[in-house]
Amino acid sequence: METLIVYKSVFHGNTKKIAIAMAEVLNAKFLDVENVDKKIIGDYDLIGFGSGIYYDKPQKKLMEYIEGLNNVKNKKAFVFSTSRQNRSDYNDWFKENLSDKGFEIIGEFHCKGHTIFKGNPNEEDLENAKEVARNIINTYNQILDMPEDSTNI
C-alpha cells in the first residue's frame, strides 16, 4: 500500500505533528500541499488530507488543491484536522469534497490545536492519531480482502 499524506500546517505546526505521527504508522510520505503536484495522486493507493481549521473550514490552499483534483477511481482516503475546538464535524468539508471526487473515506481524526490549548496536540493526541492510523490500515486490508461482488452475499 503506497500512502501519501498531504497537509497544510500554518502557525504552530499542529497539523504537521499529526501528519508525522500518522505517517510513522502508515509508512507514508508526507508533504506540505504547496509541494505536491496533483499528478502524483495517481501513484498512491491511500491518501491522507489534513489541515488546521480556520473560520470553520480547512486551510484555503488545501481546499483549492482538493477542488482542483481530477476525479479518481479505487482511491482510499482519510482526513484529519486540528482546531481550537474539539469538533469532528470540521472534517465534513474534507469528506464531502473528497467523496465528490471519487475517494472512499476510510478514516478520520481530529484534535485540539495549540492556539488556545497550549501543548496540544499532546502525547495522548499523537497516540490517538497513531491508533486511528492503525485502524485505517485494518480497514484498508479488510476492503482488499472482500470479494469483488460482495454486495450479493
Side-chain angles (χ1 to χ4, degrees), residues 28-47:
K29 184 174 187 175
F30 60 97
L31 296 169
D32 183 292
V33 69
E34 295 186 53
N35 299 318
V36 183
D37 188 313
K38 291 178 184 94
K39 296 175 192 169
I40 70 166
I41 293 296
D43 297 341
Y44 293 89
D45 307 303
L46 174 64
I47 302 103

Side-chain angles (χ1 to χ4, degrees), residues 75-138:
K75 295 289 179 190
K76 310 297 182 252
F78 62 94
V79 299
F80 60 99
S81 59
T82 60
S83 70
R84 294 186 302 170
Q85 297 178 343
N86 198 15
R87 291 178 40 194
S88 62
D89 65 328
Y90 283 143
N91 288 333
D92 290 352
W93 186 95
F94 283 122
K95 293 187 295 187
E96 180 180 325
N97 285 275
L98 289 166
S99 293
D100 288 350
K101 295 287 184 178
F103 287 93
E104 179 182 354
I105 308 301
I106 63 170
E108 69 176 296
F109 177 77
H110 177 82
C111 73
K112 293 178 184 176
H114 178 81
T115 307
I116 290 176
F117 306 97
K118 293 188 183 340
N120 288 78
N122 58 29
E123 286 303 315
E124 181 180 356
D125 296 324
L126 297 176
E127 283 306 314
N128 289 339
K130 289 178 182 182
E131 182 62 26
V132 167
R134 286 188 281 276
N135 289 336
I136 289 167
I137 292 169
N138 291 336

